[in-house]
Amino acid sequence: MRNHFLLLLVILQQTFFNSQTISDYSNLEHWVISPKHDTSLHIAYISDANLISYADVFYVYPTVYTDNKYKDWNISIENEEHRQKIRKVTRLQASAWAEAGRMFAPYYTQAHLRSYTNLETGGKNALLKAYSDVKKAFEYYLENENKGRPIILAGHSQGATHVMLLLKDFFDEKKLQKQLICAYMPGIGVKKDEFKTIPLLKKPNDVGGFVSWNTFKRRYKTKKFKDWYQGSAVINPVTWDLSNNAKRNQHKGFLFWDEKMYEQSFSTHLVDGAIWISIPHVPFRSLSVAMKDYHIGDVNLFWKDIRINAKNRVQSFRKKEITKRTND
């Protein structure tokens, strides 16, 4: 009887593992966006394509695997319900970098949101499993697509976690750092000494480092802020430096859920590890009064600010490259 049980267990395990989709980034269906597959999610946001032939953007989407009806730590990249959510958030977020370079955005076996609060009981392994896909996708991109082109890395929340790991594995103290324009990592707490050779960029046209921010309601410090963000490296994503304040008329634009742009929507105030903003001037503004944590909007609140800054950094990188070639 015991042998029959063990045989059944082996069969069930083989069936389970064989049913899991193995991420294969030579398969175009395993990319949300790639130049050879699907550009429709962000192409409508491109009116100036001058930089797309020069640089690349590797974008990693945030946590959309949040429903507690799912008990698995990770979700298959073939789950269509999950894919629909991914495509929506990718359209609204990745489009901020759409004019800065060719876009690459892989599907990955994302870790459930609860992973962050249950690191020791499965969460850490789930996040590492998710990262193994992102890493595999990035390796495929480097081997088959990059061809020496300058790179922007971009990710929000869990996506920013994976971007941080990419920086450690491929750029920090490594040759590839010479191709790094900027890594945008909003929505996580990045330690000020997280990297050995990759600095926090403190000027809007600086290149070769990273930027990060976390958005909260003005003058509000939650337990989440103290536990996750306080003391982290952060810049003001309106001025792209360490300015304590930026007035509302300096804010470039918030891409709202109605997909309309709201310019000069709020003021910003830089604090220890985060950005405080005033209540945004958008439709249904009263609904945001109760919100204290604007994490969900870390990218879209500053959508147009990101668009302009990313393009400026690419142009700055190109000028430096041209100057170096001339001097050599």
Side-chain angles (χ1 to χ4, degrees), residues 65-72 81 85 112 114:
Y65 182 34
T66 60
D67 197 322
N68 287 328
K69 73 179 181 181
Y70 293 104
K71 302 304 178 185
D72 292 336
E81 178 186 0
K85 294 178 181 178
H112 195 280
R114 65 175 174 273

Side-chain angles (χ1 to χ4, degrees), residues 54 175 177-179 207 315-328:
Y54 175 70
K175 183 178 179 181
Q177 187 177 350
K178 294 179 180 179
Q179 291 172 236
V207 296
Q315 291 165 346
S316 176
F317 188 97
R318 183 159 61 180
K319 287 178 182 177
K320 289 185 177 182
E321 196 173 56
I322 291 171
T323 299
K324 183 179 178 180
R325 287 175 182 173
T326 301
N327 292 337
D328 290 344

Side-chain angles (χ1 to χ4, degrees), residues 116-185:
Y116 284 95
T117 53
N118 296 273
L119 291 173
E120 302 305 319
T121 56
K124 181 178 179 181
N125 289 338
L127 287 164
L128 289 175
K129 182 176 181 179
Y131 173 64
S132 69
D133 268 5
V134 176
K135 182 178 182 180
K136 188 189 301 184
F138 191 69
E139 288 173 334
Y140 180 85
Y141 155 75
L142 286 178
E143 292 170 7
N144 297 277
E145 300 288 349
N146 177 255
K147 304 186 189 322
R149 291 161 61 98
I151 303 168
I152 286 177
L153 297 177
H156 175 233
S157 191
Q158 183 172 160
T161 299
H162 300 319
V163 166
M164 181 175 68
L165 294 174
L166 287 178
L167 285 175
K168 287 177 177 288
D169 283 346
F170 294 92
F171 294 86
D172 201 13
E173 292 189 306
K174 295 178 176 65
K175 183 178 179 181
L176 196 61
Q177 187 177 350
K178 294 179 180 179
Q179 291 172 236
L180 179 64
I181 298 172
C182 180
Y184 291 81
M185 297 187 290

Side-chain angles (χ1 to χ4, degrees), residues 20-76:
Q20 302 303 298
T21 300
I22 298 175
S23 303
D24 173 11
Y25 294 102
S26 65
N27 181 351
L28 295 180
E29 294 302 318
H30 289 185
W31 292 88
V32 192
I33 298 175
S34 79
K36 295 178 180 178
H37 173 47
D38 191 351
T39 59
S40 62
L41 289 180
H42 69 298
I43 198 167
Y45 294 93
I46 299 175
S47 57
D48 175 8
N50 289 329
L51 299 175
I52 293 176
S53 63
Y54 175 70
D56 289 341
V57 178
F58 190 90
Y59 164 84
V60 189
Y61 53 82
T63 307
V64 296
Y65 182 34
T66 60
D67 197 322
N68 287 328
K69 73 179 181 181
Y70 293 104
K71 302 304 178 185
D72 292 336
W73 284 103
N74 296 82
I75 191 165
S76 169

Side-chain angles (χ1 to χ4, degrees), residues 64-282:
V64 296
Y65 182 34
T66 60
D67 197 322
N68 287 328
K69 73 179 181 181
Y70 293 104
K71 302 304 178 185
D72 292 336
W73 284 103
N74 296 82
I75 191 165
S76 169
I77 63 172
E78 297 293 346
N79 184 297
E80 187 53 36
E81 178 186 0
H82 190 59
R83 279 185 166 227
Q84 289 177 11
K85 294 178 181 178
I86 292 166
R87 287 193 287 266
K88 182 177 181 180
V89 74
T90 299
R91 184 181 77 250
L92 294 176
Q93 281 198 358
S95 53
W97 290 274
E99 292 189 340
R102 292 189 306 170
M103 184 70 66
F104 295 83
Y107 286 109
Y108 64 97
T109 52
Q110 186 167 79
H112 195 280
L113 178 62
R114 65 175 174 273
S115 298
Y116 284 95
T117 53
N118 296 273
L119 291 173
E120 302 305 319
T121 56
K124 181 178 179 181
N125 289 338
L127 287 164
L128 289 175
K129 182 176 181 179
Y131 173 64
S132 69
D133 268 5
V134 176
K135 182 178 182 180
K136 188 189 301 184
F138 191 69
E139 288 173 334
Y140 180 85
Y141 155 75
L142 286 178
E143 292 170 7
N144 297 277
E145 300 288 349
N146 177 255
K147 304 186 189 322
R149 291 161 61 98
I151 303 168
I152 286 177
L153 297 177
H156 175 233
S157 191
Q158 183 172 160
T161 299
H162 300 319
V163 166
M164 181 175 68
L165 294 174
L166 287 178
L167 285 175
K168 287 177 177 288
D169 283 346
F170 294 92
F171 294 86
D172 201 13
E173 292 189 306
K174 295 178 176 65
K175 183 178 179 181
L176 196 61
Q177 187 177 350
K178 294 179 180 179
Q179 291 172 236
L180 179 64
I181 298 172
C182 180
Y184 291 81
M185 297 187 290
I188 60 169
V190 183
K191 295 178 182 178
K192 294 176 181 178
D193 60 351
E194 191 71 55
F195 309 104
K196 296 176 182 177
T197 61
I198 300 174
L200 174 68
L201 301 180
K202 301 176 182 178
K203 295 181 180 179
N205 291 324
D206 283 352
V207 296
F210 76 94
V211 292
S212 184
W213 64 92
N214 306 286
T215 320
F216 287 81
K217 184 178 180 180
R218 181 181 287 173
R219 299 188 182 89
Y220 197 89
K221 292 188 177 181
T222 64
K223 185 177 186 301
K224 179 180 178 181
F225 163 74
K226 293 177 181 178
D227 291 347
W228 289 87
Y229 304 124
Q230 194 166 23
S232 300
V234 63
I235 51 85
N236 190 323
V238 169
T239 60
W240 300 99
D241 57 22
L242 299 181
S243 296
N244 286 334
N245 297 282
K247 296 180 179 179
R248 186 156 67 90
N249 63 9
Q250 293 176 267
H251 173 243
K252 303 298 189 296
F254 172 12
L255 183 64
F256 197 43
W257 61 266
D258 59 6
E259 298 196 42
K260 293 181 180 178
M261 189 66 60
Y262 294 88
E263 300 178 353
Q264 300 182 12
S265 182
F266 51 80
S267 60
T268 58
H269 179 63
L270 184 73
V271 295
D272 181 17
I275 288 292
W276 285 346
I277 69 171
S278 58
I279 297 173
H281 287 244
V282 291

Side-chain angles (χ1 to χ4, degrees), residues 267-314:
S267 60
T268 58
H269 179 63
L270 184 73
V271 295
D272 181 17
I275 288 292
W276 285 346
I277 69 171
S278 58
I279 297 173
H281 287 244
V282 291
F284 309 106
R285 185 168 180 252
S286 60
L287 295 178
S288 64
V289 172
M291 294 181 66
K292 302 174 180 68
D293 179 351
Y294 291 120
H295 174 78
I296 193 173
D298 281 323
V299 172
N300 290 85
L301 286 163
F302 305 98
W303 191 97
K304 193 170 182 180
D305 303 82
I306 293 170
R307 168 181 284 244
I308 294 170
N309 180 256
K311 292 171 66 176
N312 286 344
R313 290 190 197 272
V314 174

